[in-house]
Amino acid sequence: MADEPIIRGIDAHKTYNSGPVTVHALRGVNLEIPRGEMVAIMGPSGCGKTTLLNCLSGMDDDAKSRYRSRRMGFVFQSYNLLPVLTAAENVELPLLVARVPAKEARRKALAIIEQVELNGWAQHKPAQLSAGQQQRVAIARALVNDPAIVWADEPTGNLDSETSGQIMDLLVRLNREQRQTLVLVTHDAIVSSRAHRILRMRNGQIVEETRSA
């Protein structure tokens, strides 16, 4: 029996007003994503990919911040690491926000840092890490609270092809081992090919859906 959807969008619309112009970013999007699936969203710039990600995750809704900190993880193209904090301190930050005791937060942070293969780098600050290592820290931060869903917006966009492949190997392995639902936005066909399903968007709509062999 297929898993029940953990994500469901029903006739999703989103408009932005830019002066006299109304931009229809989403035009009646419908989709369901079951638990444990890895889904890639593709399409040209301005087609609504990131808007859809934001709407589904409630990223722009402050009222949902407590829920997001406990049940969701986020990975961004620009890593969004705090430069004054070490890798371990960046990773444990969502736990501290969720009021997990400091000792327990550090234990969990170090455990997930080991899972993303950054042993020996926990006490280094972002400026001392390569781009690939910084993204691994960002992935560890997204996973440290054991989220049901991980949202990734161009997670390999700033990486070279070799490092991009390593990051995708990591995401695929963690998805397989932990069965967390992963929704990622990407322009890269090689990246999207690693997902279970690819949704292609154009003009605020999903226009094509394909599944991996």
Side-chain angles (χ1 to χ4, degrees):
M1 180 182 295
D3 287 338
E4 285 292 314
I6 192 171
I7 301 167
R8 179 181 284 120
I10 302 173
D11 194 28
H13 289 262
K14 181 70 174 181
T15 59
Y16 297 101
N17 292 318
S18 179
V21 178
T22 299
V23 177
H24 296 275
L26 296 178
R27 301 170 182 262
V29 173
N30 295 283
L31 82 161
E32 292 185 345
I33 300 174
R35 184 180 301 276
E37 187 177 28
M38 179 185 289
V39 176
I41 303 173
M42 297 192 73
S45 296
C47 71
K49 303 185 301 297
T50 296
T51 299
L52 179 60
L53 198 75
N54 291 344
C55 287
L56 292 174
S57 67
M59 197 183 303
D60 57 355
D61 187 341
D62 290 340
K64 297 185 178 73
S65 60
R66 177 67 63 85
Y67 179 83
R68 288 196 305 271
S69 71
R70 294 178 181 275
R71 301 298 296 153
M72 297 180 183
F74 296 87
V75 181
F76 303 96
Q77 177 178 348
S78 57
Y79 321 134
N80 285 11
L81 302 177
L82 295 180
V84 298
L85 301 183
T86 65
E89 289 167 342
N90 269 285
V91 171
E92 71 187 4
L93 194 57
L95 297 175
L96 298 176
V97 170
R99 299 179 183 176
V100 173
K103 186 176 293 187
E104 176 70 4
R106 179 55 58 93
R107 184 190 67 79
K108 289 185 174 183
L110 294 177
I112 196 69
I113 284 173
E114 182 176 356
Q115 284 192 46
V116 301
E117 302 170 358
L118 278 180
N119 289 346
W121 297 94
Q123 301 308 317
H124 289 69
K125 293 182 178 180
Q128 299 170 304
L129 303 174
S130 69
Q133 288 172 323
Q134 289 184 60
Q135 192 59 296
R136 286 174 185 267
V137 174
I139 291 168
R141 181 184 58 195
L143 297 175
V144 72
N145 60 353
D146 193 26
I149 305 168
V150 176
W151 310 92
D153 192 359
E154 297 283 1
T156 63
N158 286 340
L159 306 177
D160 60 63
S161 58
E162 181 178 357
T163 306
S164 174
Q166 294 170 355
I167 291 299
M168 286 309 300
D169 287 344
L170 173 63
L171 290 174
V172 168
R173 176 174 64 81
L174 293 171
N175 169 257
R176 181 179 64 248
E177 293 176 352
Q178 302 184 26
R179 291 204 73 235
Q180 285 155 326
T181 304
L182 176 61
V183 183
L184 63 93
V185 164
T186 183
H187 283 90
D188 191 330
I190 296 176
V191 169
S192 68
S193 70
R194 308 292 300 277
H196 301 129
R197 183 161 48 126
I198 303 171
L199 306 177
R200 288 183 170 83
M201 294 189 68
R202 186 175 299 117
N203 297 326
Q205 297 178 310
I206 296 173
V207 296
E208 184 182 357
E209 176 181 327
T210 56
R211 293 185 179 274
S212 60

